[in-house]
Amino acid sequence: MAKIIYTHTDEAPLLATYSLLPIVEAYARTAGVDVETRDISLAGRIISQFPERLTDDQRIDDALAELGELTMTPEANIIKLPNISASLPQLKGAIAELQGQGYDLPDYPENAQSDDELAIRAKYDKVKGSAVNPVLREGNSDRRAPASVKNYAKAHPHSMGVWSPDSKTNVATMGHDDFRSNELSVVLDADDTLRIEHVSADGSVTVLKDAVPVLAGEVVDATFMDVAALDAFLAEQVQRAKDEGVLFSIHLKATMMKVSDPIIFGHVVKVFFPAVFEQYGDQLAAAGISPNDGLGAVLPAVDALPDGPVIRAAIEQGIADGPALAMVDSDKGITNLHVPSDVIVDASMPAMIRSAGHMWNADGEEQDTLAVIPDSSYAVIFQTVIDDCRAHGAYDPATMGSVSNVGLMAQAAEEYGSHDKTFEIAEAGTVRVVNAAGDALIEHEVRAGDIWRACQTKDAPIRDWVKLAVNRARASGAPAVFWLDETRAHDANLIAKVKEYLPEHDTEGLTIEIMNPADATSYSVERIRRGEDTISVTGNVLRDYNTDLFPILEVGTSAKMLSIVPLMRGGGLFETGAGGSAPKHVQQLLRENYLRWDSLGEFFALAASFEHLAASTDNARAQVLADTLDRATGTFLAENRSPGRKLGTIDNRGSHFYLALYWAEELAKQTEDAELGAAFDALATRLRNDEQKIVDELLAVQGSPVELGGYFRPDADKVTAVMRPSTTLNAALETLNV
């Protein structure tokens, strides 16, 4: 039987799965397609690491490892929903919840010393941060707005703020002594095993990582951030924000850059409150209170200290004395410095730009902002867009073109600073990348506290990336621009490879350019103002940034993108969009049994998955399901059946009902398969006749709090009851039989 793997993830996408998946399973069965789930949620990943401590009923397999193996086969067909990329506070929260549910899990050993503690921390670190994507992404990324979404956005343009030419909003970035400026890069001539080591001033050597396997043609980079320069830069920006009367905000990626960015976030907190950490820093450290976890963790922990009230008062005074802070939730007093994972650069910057360069202040009002992005690798793209909007006003979703993306990410290419090769330096010395022969390929002089990191980019993914870029340019007719900077070490090596591999493809009649990120951004925004489309061909981090930045401006969200990962071994991975708003949606469901999550990304991924299955297994009915789902999604958009924003309108569950209705109606009237059409004609008639009854049943449950039995690992029976409240719809699905 043909198979699609549907991932069981976290938060709002998980809750939505309980409503949507029964529909998908019922429809897929008519084509002989089995839809199976695999648990790659944060809680599931944690549980899978400690089978020896759990009962038989509690143990679960390491589904992520299983799917990683599957991606290496031609049979892979995986629909991947957004999952939690856990920051340390989220990881600790999940552990505490699971312990409360009876799982005998150890606490996270913050200051691991013994072998047992180090082993426990290593297991937890495997699931922290961006643990899922590097395993599953055995292909490069093809991400774009589907025509139906783009057409809907043009017909129903979303709101955009009004930019003022006098806007004081800007991006602040280091430009020196940061990851961008300290980068060194080499291309390996042959297969090898590298070693990363630290050599102290007295000549003693500490091995930081003893074995880094590399292949011929692989690009290896290393760099570091000088934290003394970082602190000086941050102090300047705090003062600048105060002098200019704008909000201060820090924009990092603490979820994905799970080693480096929480450390940088901690530096921001310490610099913003210099008096607090100068006077009480040792006391806080002795109590295990880390600024890396943000004020949201520091303030409750401080209250338990003997000097707690005094320290809390000092923090409050620091807020009063400093520049106004950008707020995550003004009503609850949650600032930009409360939680490292609350303000994620690729989502927060486009949202700010869409809102005329504003973030929210403590009074719940919009205000110009100084967006601090310490590393200068890609900060320029946001400044370029801000400058363009300041000069020409907001973009018009009704007329603007698209910027799609072909992203280099296969085999953990440029993987967010390569977490297993990122280190906070303990003492001054030299960090070296050494080959098996003992030759130092890369060397950096570092000081205590500096953040050093290395990453790898294999040659095969680069070749595949170039091929995918040419294919997309040929299929779309749009120019393809490689966003690469010849003055940056890593990019210079990639440019050489791009120039080597482009002649392997037929590029006649195509426009294919190489531009640095600033010029590429200017080129792209000039084109979108003229209603013209452009393909951004980027590395991994910029893939993440661009696939939020442009969709949020173009169609209002990045959750409605078509995201296909053609796996290098012939399989397919189909991603369903971003999950940055998922926590807020869960909170609303818990308060009032209303889920605003929009599953449109799942609809697009599912259609692409059926299409891939049809081609790879010669399954004609799977192609019929793909074609009819695509048409049904167009009707779904035209009829505006996405979840509303308030009680009394359909939410996620209601949107799933309408998708089921429109899909059944499309299947009923297709002419390729008469038997299939007859079966769905009966279902479509039943759903249409019972439309009001089903909608009434779905609306009736709204307005009251619900209890799910857990946030990170909710009770399946409770979630099912909440997410499938229409007995009429449930009964109708059970009648489908072909």
Side-chain angles (χ1 to χ4, degrees), residues 713-727:
R713 192 166 185 79
D715 181 272
D717 291 337
K718 290 181 178 179
V719 180
T720 299
V722 169
M723 294 305 299
R724 301 193 69 196
S726 171
T727 56

Side-chain angles (χ1 to χ4, degrees), residues 492-511:
N493 282 328
L494 257 62
I495 288 171
K497 286 180 175 286
V498 169
K499 289 181 176 179
E500 179 184 354
Y501 299 145
L502 273 174
E504 297 176 356
H505 307 281
D506 176 14
T507 60
E508 185 176 354
L510 305 181
T511 299

Side-chain angles (χ1 to χ4, degrees), residues 160-172:
M160 299 282 276
V162 179
W163 275 83
S164 167
D166 299 322
S167 170
K168 297 179 181 179
T169 291
N170 282 296
V171 174

